[in-house]
Amino acid sequence: MTGANRIAGAGRLTPAKTARFTFDGKTYAALEGDTVASALIANGVHLVGRSFKYHRPRGILSAGPEEPNALIDVARDTARKQPNVRATVQEVFDGMKVESQNRWPSLAFDVGGINNAFSPFFAAGFYYKTFMWPRAAWEKVYEPFIRRAAGLGVAPTEEDPDHYANRYAYCDVLVVGAGVAGLAAALSAARAGAKVILCDEQPEAGGALHFDKGVTIDGQEGYAWAQAATAELSTMENVTVLTRTTAFGYYNHNFVGLAERVTDHLSRPDRKLPRERLWQVRAKRVILATGAIERHMVFANNDRPGIMLASAARTYLNHFGVAVGRKIGVYTANDSAYEAAFDLKRAGVSIAAIVDCRERPGEKVLSEARSLGIEVLTGHSVVDTKGYRRISSMKVVRNGGGAARSIPVDALIMSAGWTPSVHLFSQSRGKVAYDAETGRFLPGTYAQDCLSIGACNGTIGLQATIEEALAAGDLMARATGHQSGAKLELHGENAIEWTGGMAGSAEGAGADTTVKAFVDFQNDVCAKDIRLAVREGMHSIEHIKRFTTNGMATDQGKLSNIHGLAIAADMLGREIPKVGLTTFRAPYTPVTFGTLISHSRGDLFDPARKTPMHPWEEAHGAVFEDVGNWKRAWYYPRSGETMHDAVNRECRTVRDVAGIFDASTLGKIEVVGPDAAEFLNLMYTNAWDTLKPGRCRYGIMLREDGFVYDDGVVGRLAEDRFHVTTTTGGAPRVMNHMEDYLQTEFPHLKVWLTSTTEQWAVIAVQGPKAREIIAPLVEGIDMSNEAFPHMSVREGKICGVPTRLFRMSFTGEAGYEVNVPADYGQAVWEAIWAQAEPLGACAYGTETMHVLRAEKGYIIVGQDTDGTVTPFDAGVGWAVSKKKTDFVGIRGLKRPDLVKEGRKQMVGLLTKDPTEVLEEGAQIVADPNEPKPMTMLGHVTSSYWSENCGRSIALAVVAGGQAKLGQTLYIPMPDKTIAVEVSEMVFIDKEGVRLNG
């Protein structure tokens, strides 16, 4: 047996295909294609969870992604567990282990249920008031208790054994939603030749056709037509059909994120298949056919198990073949709930009564109800219910007063109307508009190239929806450059066209406003909580949302937002649009971390990048450090050497002979185009149109606020080509910075940017014998000082391979940076090393590079600057052009605070005790005896022992530093105070003679 509530002959599942699963340890049978929710209802299980705050018994409310109650923990084995899965969308597979959440020790008897008895003390906002006093109790009492109580499911403790995939896709037209509207639009666009992606979150296409049996399209039953249309689309080469795929985020430039559930429905998935796949789709045009979500009625105790949406009951009957009860009550504010009652009645289920809070429903539905013998109570409201683990009766009262009537039921279905699903439209930055006639928010002003069609656009009527969809598909195909195909015509008929409107009241006319009438089921927000928020002074819906937590549960207010808004508007005496609308944020439904992370976990979570010379460096004993994602040689210790010994030796060798250094990690960007010089003029502080081909220049890049963003040497290879270098850690952000300005601020410039960081291996050869080392290996380049002066670049060959050879230095010595294609990096390095080693040169690492550059007063952006330093503060004001009228940051540099006297400026520091090495980050004061809090003048940015200077050296930013040259300042440390003299930044070869070798 697969459940006593199965209706013979109903539904679309095959009785021969069964699956077994457990719920809280008890085994149940299901049919293949069941969701956990439909299988539990089939087996008579209605109590499935507990609410978050009051721990009230909760049942299945919906049949889709809007479900707030039926959140479950799903396990395939001990290592594969996932909490907070919606039972209404999780398909059953054989061997599935399901557990309820947020209860102890059991679902039937939950100790947390005592919260319900104390609910008067837990009114909205209680935590803001209660936990503020006494203040000392927060960390010791309140916070630990709240953290233990927070959350619903329990996070897995085992490592996730599954793998995930990621795919980038491009299409002409992306259609979101495969109901009638989405299918018709996809057919229209595809037949016109457009490349189409159609996605839908359900296992099969059809949308509302899953429950609406009274639909006929082109002579076929609606659901059958949907499957035939899907089959046709699936055979087209220009169409990709993705089921079990949710469009969860709509971002800039028609970029849409899709989450595909690949194997979550399989009992024994192929281990080669990913569990879920993230699709990152860039579409020329987007068609949103996301439908509408049915709203619940707000009345006392409307949360008992067995109370659900009318469309959900209809889905369980017509698609899954399951009756949600045997004696069902109906409470509605519009015509659509009648169809659910009619379908249930025809299936042999008793309908106790249809309670309609309207005085005048549509005559068609009233006539049909009379013919089926269903009692209809118009102008009445359900004001309360009874039952614990399941509803047992509903209390009905005539609007305006009168005697109450108790009607026994074992299920109650309800409908307060339909809310267009405008979530993705809103995420696209589109502005919704309020339709006062129907009481709905509809797509208004579009911000991107998309169209909303069907129910999400407020369209009522099957034929109207089809015609709108066909026109949209054809329009979007033509907009992407395709000719219209043969005109597609579809004709649809519906048994009952809704005439009562799509909207309904937030509360029944007879509702008691003092009892628990739930608006947000998961967070236990009642109508009275919304009213309390208004009385407490919350007049914006955003404030009300945060005060009450309405709409902040995992369903993101899909059912509750409009109700909360309507109740607040009523309390404030304002029209609904005046109260505002909460923000719809991505994701539309929860997305697993695995899907978002994909392969980026374990060793791939933060991939280590290695230069082409890494194997050689490793073989020669290099100790590595992490710089961004890169593994960089830190120093090369010889036998018996400490790190300091090795660095001191390397520093002496570079200045006395030469050293070779792996600089491949420097960011490299190719800037090409007729407007390349003009573009760089705008991106950097100094001028580039005056730079001759074959020459280099040091450049400073600013943020808009005038502070240093990055620096590097730029070489001009030709009139229209520049080779730009950046800091190692700054390469990605500088590329993004440039691309952002090129696309948004300077789109008129003909410039192309290409990241070439990994294309070039860079070998820096520095020291007095640098030219002697590389000259024998170089072909086609005159290496003389006259022909190849400092700050030049030439193209030729080295060791027979192409090279871009830069004459530049970050040590103050004669230096060259050899750029060769990365594949040849190690071979060229080894050839250079073969020349260098006999001369007594060494390989040196990043620590030595830091010391050498500090000896020359060269700054490192990100170490000596902290985002609040201008070029003038850093001592490189000479790199700011006085002639240029515009560049990024020029207005920021003119701000009064950035030009006033007394700003922190970069200076050198010499300790009074030459052997004392300062700590980087140490604070600097003028008077060591000043009472606390002391006035901090600045801090140490770089500090080293300099073997070449025979003493310690440091760089620092000091308030009014240039005016304090020669003065003594102090650095208070925990055990002593260190006296320092403020000096110039250059500590060695101040005249720059050594640059020429």
Side-chain angles (χ1 to χ4, degrees), residues 594-816:
T595 302
L596 297 176
I597 293 171
S598 189
H599 301 294
S600 302
R601 61 177 187 167
D603 291 340
L604 298 178
F605 175 71
D606 192 20
R609 303 172 73 183
K610 299 177 181 179
T611 72
M613 285 75 87
H614 187 91
W616 187 96
E617 294 165 344
E618 199 169 38
H620 284 73
V623 177
F624 293 92
E625 69 167 337
D626 293 327
V627 181
N629 290 117
W630 290 96
K631 293 287 185 183
R632 298 196 70 179
W634 194 8
Y635 59 97
Y636 292 83
R638 293 177 179 173
S639 179
E641 282 186 336
T642 66
M643 174 181 174
H644 295 295
D645 294 337
V647 171
N648 290 340
R649 172 181 52 78
E650 291 171 10
C651 286
R652 288 195 307 270
T653 302
V654 173
R655 296 239 182 260
D656 294 344
V657 184
I660 64 173
F661 173 70
D662 184 357
S664 302
T665 63
L666 288 175
K668 294 172 279 291
I669 301 171
E670 199 91 350
V671 180
V672 181
D675 297 326
E678 183 180 352
F679 174 69
L680 291 178
N681 269 347
L682 291 165
M683 297 306 300
Y684 284 88
T685 61
N686 35 5
W688 301 97
D689 49 356
T690 59
L691 186 68
K692 302 298 183 183
R695 297 292 289 171
C696 304
R697 183 168 290 165
Y698 172 76
I700 289 283
M701 179 179 288
L702 306 183
R703 298 192 316 234
E704 199 71 64
D705 54 13
F707 294 123
V708 174
Y709 189 65
D710 203 80
D711 70 345
V713 172
V714 179
R716 190 168 193 172
L717 303 172
E719 289 293 335
D720 61 349
R721 184 178 295 270
F722 290 82
H723 180 113
V724 176
T725 64
T726 75
T727 57
T728 293
R733 57 184 169 84
V734 170
M735 179 69 182
N736 181 71
H737 184 70
M738 285 184 164
E739 194 68 65
D740 185 32
Y741 273 92
L742 182 59
Q743 291 188 28
T744 62
E745 302 297 326
F746 316 130
H748 60 285
L749 298 180
K750 295 179 180 179
V751 179
W752 293 267
L753 307 177
T754 305
S755 173
T756 58
T757 299
E758 293 184 336
Q759 276 61 49
W760 294 102
V762 182
I763 305 161
V765 185
Q766 307 277 305
K769 295 188 177 182
R771 181 189 294 112
E772 184 179 346
I773 291 170
I774 68 168
L777 306 175
V778 175
E779 305 169 37
I781 299 175
D782 186 343
M783 297 292 291
S784 67
N785 267 333
E786 295 74 21
F788 195 9
H790 180 61
M791 295 302 281
S792 300
V793 58
R794 300 288 186 268
E795 292 186 283
K797 288 187 176 182
I798 186 169
C799 303
V801 302
T803 183
R804 286 180 180 174
L805 185 60
F806 287 79
R807 175 82 187 270
M808 55 186 286
S809 174
F810 198 47
T811 63
E813 301 294 327
Y816 300 86

Side-chain angles (χ1 to χ4, degrees), residues 5-6 10-11 34-39 41 60-64 67 87-89 210-211 308-324:
N5 290 330
R6 295 279 181 194
D34 263 325
T35 62
V36 173
S38 66
I41 294 172
I60 296 158
L61 182 66
S62 74
E67 177 60 40
T88 52
V89 299
H210 281 79
F211 63 76
M308 68 176 62
L309 300 175
S311 59
R314 211 171 168 210
T315 300
Y316 292 126
L317 175 68
N318 292 334
H319 188 72
F320 297 103
V322 174
V324 298

Side-chain angles (χ1 to χ4, degrees), residues 534 539 565-579:
V534 175
H539 293 174
L565 180 57
I567 294 168
D570 179 65
M571 279 288 290
L572 291 167
R574 298 180 187 172
E575 295 179 354
I576 285 179
K578 299 294 184 182
V579 182

